[in-house]
Amino acid sequence: MWMKSVKDDGLAALLFGPSKVHAIVKGVPVTVDEDTSYPFSDTITFTVSPAEPVGFPLSIRVPGWSGGVRVTAPGAAVAAGEGVRTITKTWRAGDKITVSFENPITTNGLPNGEVSIHRGPLLFVKPWPSRLVPLATQKFNVPGFEEYNIVPVTAYNTSGLYLDCEQKDFGFSLKRNLKAGDPTPWARPPITLVGSMHTYNREQNFRTHVTLVPMGSALLRFASFRIWPFDEQYFQTHK
């Protein structure tokens, strides 16, 4: 997650998540706390705490999925490079950097002519109802620990769902769950995409409400969808 930058004797945050790094920079012990609920949050806060004031650059990677990034660091110089923001100042204990990413809803074209749906670092999917069935043939000497099969409770069917490429954000919006601090966020995802998709049968074309969850929050899922109306140029542009 963290590396030292040899060319400018600084630090670099390359991967995001709650963390703490201890390093020696220009002979001074430095601690940096990274506070975030990434990948469910768009904001990351870094708290820099050197043992004594020391100047050095702290670089933060800007991922390719980001639609934009805003860096707030009072008293610091912020330089934009290719895929990176470098913040330089004489750091004192408690100095903070706040990084906020813009995460638009995007699609990615797949070889089968369908598209997947993304927001920031997350792939969003439609859950396929399923249940866990313990394997009676496999037992462990740890209470509550078992091996399971994942069994669908409905037939494989996407219900003829089509993603509407003519609507803003494809007809979806972000919904946040206010239960902060949940120790199992993947089981109860703090963010979902809610909206509607086209569906049709031989008699009619209509829209149906759909909730999409991060891929890790669904044991079985539909991860790609056809687009409405199908546009070869759109598909090729988003491959």
Side-chain angles (χ1 to χ4, degrees):
M1 297 179 72
W2 288 89
M3 297 187 74
K4 290 196 72 173
S5 176
V6 176
K7 67 177 182 179
D8 53 21
D9 198 17
L11 297 176
L14 302 184
L15 300 176
F16 304 124
S19 65
K20 176 180 291 189
V21 63
H22 302 281
I24 303 296
V25 182
K26 296 182 178 178
V28 177
V30 175
T31 298
V32 183
D33 285 280
E34 182 178 351
D35 182 26
T36 182
S37 57
Y38 177 93
F40 304 112
S41 171
D42 303 332
T43 302
I44 303 170
T45 299
F46 299 89
T47 302
V48 185
S49 299
E52 61 184 70
V54 60
F56 64 89
L58 196 159
S59 297
I60 298 170
R61 182 177 66 90
V62 178
W65 45 255
S66 175
V69 61
R70 183 174 67 255
V71 177
T72 303
V78 180
E82 184 176 356
V84 69
R85 296 293 185 273
T86 301
I87 303 99
T88 304
K89 69 176 291 187
T90 298
W91 302 98
R92 290 172 171 79
D95 283 347
K96 293 185 182 297
I97 304 168
T98 301
V99 180
S100 299
F101 292 109
E102 296 176 9
N103 291 326
I105 298 173
T106 61
T107 60
N108 184 45
L110 304 173
N112 65 351
E114 297 181 343
V115 297
S116 54
I117 305 172
H118 306 256
R119 183 186 182 276
L122 295 173
L123 166 65
F124 282 82
V125 301
K126 182 179 183 294
W128 180 7
S130 60
R131 60 190 176 92
L132 292 175
V133 178
L135 294 178
T137 57
Q138 182 67 64
K139 296 294 182 182
F140 300 91
N141 293 324
V142 179
F145 186 82
E146 296 185 82
E147 190 172 4
Y148 295 89
N149 270 341
I150 304 172
V151 179
V153 298
T154 61
Y156 183 89
N157 181 12
T158 57
S159 303
L161 291 176
Y162 289 77
L163 186 66
D164 192 339
C165 296
E166 295 182 336
Q167 286 204 75
K168 181 180 183 298
D169 292 327
F170 314 98
F172 283 90
S173 61
L174 181 71
K175 180 179 179 181
R176 295 190 183 275
N177 184 341
L178 298 180
K179 295 180 180 178
D182 190 333
T184 56
W186 291 102
R188 291 177 291 274
I191 60 173
T192 57
L193 295 182
V194 295
S196 62
M197 298 178 76
H198 273 287
T199 186
Y200 73 92
N201 53 36
R202 293 183 179 180
E203 288 75 33
Q204 60 180 331
N205 165 32
F206 54 95
R207 304 187 68 86
T208 185
H209 178 79
V210 176
T211 297
L212 305 178
V213 303
M215 186 176 70
S217 298
L219 295 175
L220 293 180
R221 60 260 179 175
F222 301 105
S224 64
F225 305 91
R226 288 164 284 185
I227 57 178
W228 177 285
F230 184 80
D231 184 327
E232 179 66 27
Q233 183 176 357
Y234 175 92
F235 177 77
Q236 293 297 332
T237 301
H238 291 75
K239 287 182 67 175

